[in-house]
């Protein structure tokens, strides 16, 4: 075998091929050595220099946030350019933090200890911010002493500013750092950087994704001697979009002035009003023209680092709550137009149905008084609305439940009645209010809206007020024909005069706007349009990337005759000498409004007080705006709310140069100086604390 | 001589053979390997000195010394083992390597690739085994053809060679480990060069040169267009992973992505160049100490040597590799059978290609593909496999044809 193999091993083993392979290997390795020689010997000195320019550090560059404009072009929120000092950690360079801190501490108006602490935070990150919003002295000191301060760099940053202070503060909201609570949303889901600023409340939060923009990166070449050279932005940051609101800054300022000035009047001061709100809607679209929540707060407090100074004020006044969308209150008689329509549309009454008001109605063994003790005598629905007659609506409420002549219908027992006829009646009253937007979210584009609530008195719980689940009751009635609950007999009377429900001012505004629109229910909204980062709303050539369109949420079918009766009542209330609105300020207006007042008994700080409410729209014949005003603790409707509403109408028409003589016209240009000197601007700063 | 030995007791025969052959042992190879081991340990120390990277293994130098010891033991064992037995047992090796190459795909990804099989505190790279297995498999097949009654070198007969190459190549490429796949290609081409008929050899060389020159000329003359071709064809159709393609793009045009894909190339070239003639000194390299070079203890180990020991230190390293390759080629030439020749040729190809590719990438001479520098880079799998490869060569050397006069 062995022999055979040796003979069969063909060709003298491939020596030539192996030579070829050695040749190739030699060639390859020689080229390596030649290349080394070129790089290390010939070019070595150049590379040795380059070696010091070693670090390419990329630092995030945050984009400027979009501006917020009013509908008439006033800047409500903007990003201000500031200078910050950073410490870049440079390898191979001896950085004596203590020595640098000693030099810089007096410049930054801080102590060496505090500065050192900042310099030593997050030791692994390539750079750390050590001072914010540098003064020009600090900037020039750093540039002059650069050689003593290796790695100290000045960079630009942005801070949010609200140039008009508390003007529309509740609408705008404010921005802040990403918190542990919203970190999972912004950082994990949207991939924001941890140091990005985000909207915390208001429009800033609602439209954060447009305002935010996108972070970019600046690439730096760090030299071993401590100097830093920028290689440019890769990718550059994308500025946030600009947002325009439906709010008119001049009108919003006027509205805030009207509310705060009126509450501060000597004769009103005695009511100790803690809060108030007013909403003005464009009847044709649902756009919010002004939205006032008193007391005011200044969103700048949350971005300028002086929040501590204002904490006491904020805690004691709860000024951070946007009462207009977050504070449901008893509406009182202002729900009567809806309830009257419920009666008319269900055929429970006709426009000619008469109730003889003797000043009270006896229900069971209890007496329920009209607010006007002598009573108005025989009234129909129109007069009942004009005078806000309680007796009429007590009676209507009881009729809904089939309760006539002090008797349950068909000699039913209470237990049987409360599960069926009572529920049907409550569902009729509350259901019609619900149709108009009361007791449900309006869908306004602001975060944190709270919805109103319906109540009944629980006979099993000593007549304690408990929530009445309207939708559940309706569903149960439909499915089983009954709904288990322990409501009290007079609940129907209470509900019909607005003492068994709580609604927010925005709900009330949507309700009166829907009345003015003959049953067409628009969604209230604040965003007018979104513009690209570099375009100013209203400037020639600027084009929005998004425009909000009015949205009809529902169309309520109403018999024109019924609506006419209700309109008449609401018209007389504002225009007839017997009407409460007429008496409460609307007398002699050059325009004709229609509306309804409300005075509800509420408990505030342990005291029994009144919630002063007014809803109204004007002009009566071609409605332009609808207004809702609620002042808990403001006394009767005609003491505060109706006056505020009246002034809001006046201001609107004076700005629109309608009805009023030219001498009384107001400019619709925003008067910044006047605003900055107004009490409404200074109010949160000076405080309304006792 | 061999016949005489057969008459004696087996044990004595073995010792006698060893005693006689110990003089035939290639001490130059062993000496070079000792020097390379010293280089490796010093370079790893330099590349990891004072660093606290997340991916940096703890006690890296002790682990490397342990791998060196395992490598030397494995090499010694294989040297004493008669390589000719592989001709009977090669299916076990090929089957085992193929199995491991498949198993690796169900392992968790590390650095984006299915390249590792975890084994307790260590992990292991099947593509390293695949290289050795392919060498053995091809060598057996080539030797069988050489020794057949009527040697037939036409494609009709030699196509299984292509299968032996394509299967591991595709599996490795899919891991993805582009570098390892290219090593397989280099081994295949080199072994086939030695095996092929003259005419085939000429054709192969001609086409290889034409292809390399063609790509080179086009790439140098039209870097923009080449870049576009890669982006629009290779990446779009997923022929290459985008990071692999961008390594080639940055090699064509280093200015293209200076901060992202081009960073490694730029920074390693600076590190090499700044070493100058005598280097910046141990633990003194600006780039090395500053930890600017990613994964410096594995794929970029050469930059540590070049920066801290300069031209003198790095050219000495290349010379050591050149000596090693020469000695191995000598063994290939003096093998008693063509099987030994092919094995050693494959091992030379493995070492030489990896050295050129790895060091070349650091100096902007070849595209960076992510393979280790044999005997120097940190890592057990590649080190032990390299030692086993040299062990096979030494096994061939011990049994080479030689006139003996005792």
């Amino acid at each position: 075998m062995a022999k055979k193999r040796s003979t069969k091993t063909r060709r003298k083993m491939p020596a030539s091929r192996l030579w070829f392979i050695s040749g190739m290997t030699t060639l390859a390795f020689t080229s390596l050595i030649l290349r080394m020689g070129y790089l290390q010997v010939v070019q070595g000195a150049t590379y040795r220099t380059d070696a010091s320019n070693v670090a390419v550090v990329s630092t995030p560059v945050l984009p400027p946030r979009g501006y917020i404009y009013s509908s008439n072009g006033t800047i409500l929120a903007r990003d201000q350019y500031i200078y910050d000092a950073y410490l870049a950690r440079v390898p191979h360079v001896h950085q004596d933090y203590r020595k640098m801190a000693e030099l810089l501490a007096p410049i930054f108006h801080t102590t060496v200890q505090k500065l050192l602490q900042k310099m030593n935070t997050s030791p692994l990150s390539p750079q750390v911010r050590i001072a914010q919003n540098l003064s020009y002295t600090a900037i020039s000191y750093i540039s002059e002493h650069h050689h003593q301060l290796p790695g100290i760099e000045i960079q630009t940053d942005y801070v949010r500013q609200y140039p008009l202070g508390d003007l529309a503060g509740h609408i705008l909201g404010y921005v802040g750092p990403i918190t542990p609570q919203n970190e999972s949303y912004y950082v994990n889901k949207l991939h924001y950087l941890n140091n990005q600023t985000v909207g915390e409340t208001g429009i800033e939060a609602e439209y954060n994704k447009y305002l935010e923009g996108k972070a970019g990166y600046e690439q730096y070449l760090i030299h071993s001697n401590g100097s830093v050279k920028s290689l440019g932005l890769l990718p550059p940051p994308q500025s946030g979009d600009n947002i325009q609101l439906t709010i008119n800054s001049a009108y919003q300022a006027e509205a805030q002035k009207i509310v705060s000035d009126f509450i501060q009047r000597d004769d009103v001061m005695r009511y100790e009003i803690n809060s108030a709100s007013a909403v003005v809607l464009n009847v044709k679209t649902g756009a919010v023209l002004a939205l006032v929540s008193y007391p005011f707060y200044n969103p700048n407090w949350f971005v300028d680092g002086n929040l501590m100074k204002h904490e006491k004020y904020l805690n004691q006044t709860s000024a951070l709550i946007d009462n207009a969308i977050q504070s449901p209150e008893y509406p009182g008689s202002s729900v009567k137009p809806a309830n009257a329509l419920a009666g008319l549309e269900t055929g429970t009454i006709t426009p000619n149905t008469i109730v003889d008001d003797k000043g009270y109605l006896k229900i069971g063994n209890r007496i329920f008084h009209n607010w006007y003790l002598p009573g108005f005598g025989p009234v129909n629905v129109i007069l009942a609305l004009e005078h806000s007659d309680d007796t009429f609506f007590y009676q209507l409420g009881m009729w809904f439940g089939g309760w006539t002549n002090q008797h349950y219908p068909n000699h039913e027992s209470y237990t049987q009645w409360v599960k069926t006829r009572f529920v049907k009646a409550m569902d009729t009253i509350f259901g019609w209010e619900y149709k108009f937007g009361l007791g449900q979210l309006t869908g306004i584009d602001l975060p944190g809206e709270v919805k109103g609530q319906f109540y009944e008195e629980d006979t099993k719980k000593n007549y304690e007020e408990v929530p009445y689940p309207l939708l559940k009751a309706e569903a149960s009635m439909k499915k089983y024909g009954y709904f288990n609950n322990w409501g009290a007999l007079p609940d129907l009377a209470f509900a019909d005069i607005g003492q068994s429900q709580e609604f927010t001012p925005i709900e009330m505004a949507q309700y009166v706007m829907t009345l003015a629109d003959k049953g067409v229910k628009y969604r209230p909204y604040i965003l007018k349009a979104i513009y690209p980062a570099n375009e100013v709303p209203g400037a020639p050539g600027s084009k929005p990337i998004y425009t909000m369109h009015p949205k009809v949420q529902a169309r309520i079918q109403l018999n024109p005759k019924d609506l006419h009766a209700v309109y008449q009542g609401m018209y007389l209330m504002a225009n007839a000498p017997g009407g409460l609105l007429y008496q409460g300020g609307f007398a002699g207006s050059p325009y004709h409004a229609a509306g309804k007042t409300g005075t509800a008994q509420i408990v505030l700080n342990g005291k029994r007080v009144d919630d002063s409410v007014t809803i109204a729209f004007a002009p009566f014949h071609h409605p332009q705006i609808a207004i809702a005003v609620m002042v808990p603790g403001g006394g009767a409707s005609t003491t505060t709310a109706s006056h505020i509403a009246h002034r809001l109408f006046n201001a609107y028409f004076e700005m629109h140069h309608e009805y009023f003589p030219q001498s009384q016209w107001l400019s619709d240009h925003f008067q910044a100086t006047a605003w900055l000197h107004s009490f409404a601007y200074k109010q949160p700063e000076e405080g309304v604390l006792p | 001589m061999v016949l005489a030995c057969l008459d004696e007791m087996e044990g004595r025969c073995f010792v006698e053979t060893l005693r006689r052959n110990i003089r035939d042992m290639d001490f130059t190879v062993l000496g070079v390997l000792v020097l390379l081991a010293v280089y490796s340990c010093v370079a790893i120390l330099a590349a990891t000195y004072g660093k606290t990277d997340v991916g940096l293994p703890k006690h890296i130098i002790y682990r490397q010394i342990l791998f060196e010891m395992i490598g030397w033991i494995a090499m010694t064992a294989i040297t004493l083992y008669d390589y000719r037995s592989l001709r009977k047992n090669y299916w076990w090796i090929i089957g085992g390597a193929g199995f491991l190459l498949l198993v690796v795909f169900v392992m968790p990804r590390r650095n984006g690739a299915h390249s590792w099989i975890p084994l307790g505190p260590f992990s292991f790279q099947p593509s390293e085994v695949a290289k050795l297995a392919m060498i053995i498999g091809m060598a057996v097949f080539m030797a069988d053809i050489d020794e057949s009654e009527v040697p037939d070198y036409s494609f009709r007969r030699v196509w299984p060679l292509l299968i032996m190459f394509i299967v591991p190549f595709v599996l490795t490429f899919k891991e993805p480990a582009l570098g390892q796949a290219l090593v397989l290609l280099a081994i295949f081409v080199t072994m086939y060069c030695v095996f092929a008929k003259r005419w085939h050899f000429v054709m192969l060389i001609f086409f290889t040169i034409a292809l390399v020159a063609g790509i080179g000329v086009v790439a140098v003359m039209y870097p923009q267009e080449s870049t576009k071709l890669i982006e629009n064809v290779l990446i779009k159709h997923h022929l290459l992973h985008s990071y692999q393609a961008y390594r080639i793009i940055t090699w064509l045009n280093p200015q293209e992505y200076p901060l992202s894909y081009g960073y490694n190339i730029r920074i390693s070239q600076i590190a090499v160049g700044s070493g100058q003639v005598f280097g910046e000194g141990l633990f003194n390299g600006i780039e090395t100490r500053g930890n600017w070079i990613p994964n410096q203890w594995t794929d970029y180990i050469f930059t540590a040597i070049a920066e801290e020991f300069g031209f003198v230190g790095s050219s000495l390293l290349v010379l050591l590799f050149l000596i090693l390759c020469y000695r191995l080629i000598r063994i290939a030439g003096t093998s008693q059978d063509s099987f030994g020749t092919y094995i050693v040729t494959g091992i030379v190809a493995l070492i030489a290609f990896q050295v050129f590719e790895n060091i070349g990438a650091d100096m902007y001479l070849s595209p960076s593909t992510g393979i280790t520098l044999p005997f120097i880079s940190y890592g057990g799998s590649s080190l032990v496999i390299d030692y086993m490869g040299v062990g096979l060569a030494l096994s061939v050397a011990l049994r080479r044809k030689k006139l003996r006069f005792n």
Side-chain angles (χ1 to χ4, degrees), chain B residues 28-30 32-33 36 319-329 348 351 375 390:
Chain B
T28 316
V29 169
L30 293 182
V32 167
L33 287 183
L36 287 178
L319 276 177
L320 286 177
F321 279 119
L322 191 57
I323 293 169
L324 179 65
C325 289
Y326 269 136
R327 296 304 295 191
L328 293 183
I329 293 170
V348 170
I351 294 171
F375 299 105
V390 175

Side-chain angles (χ1 to χ4, degrees), chain A residues 4 10-11 14 17-18 20-21 26 29 32 35-37 39-40 44-45 47-48 51 54-56 91-92 219, chain B residues 146 149 153 193-196 198 205 259 269 272-274 276 280 286-287 290 292 306 311 314 318 326 333 363:
Chain A
K4 193 173 182 185
R10 50 118 205 200
R11 62 192 180 192
R17 304 294 172 81
L18 290 177
F20 174 76
I21 287 166
T26 315
F29 285 18
L32 283 182
R35 179 75 182 157
M36 263 173 224
L39 289 179
Q40 296 186 308
Y47 282 114
R48 182 69 68 90
V54 281
V56 175
H92 319 298
Q219 313 284 350
Chain B
D146 278 352
E149 291 285 342
Y153 297 93
C193 271
V194 178
F195 169 72
R198 177 177 293 267
I205 295 304
L259 304 173
Q269 191 178 339
V272 171
S274 67
Q276 292 184 297
E280 293 169 23
I286 296 175
E287 310 285 5
W292 296 115
F311 178 72
S314 40
V318 174
Y326 269 136
M363 297 191 300

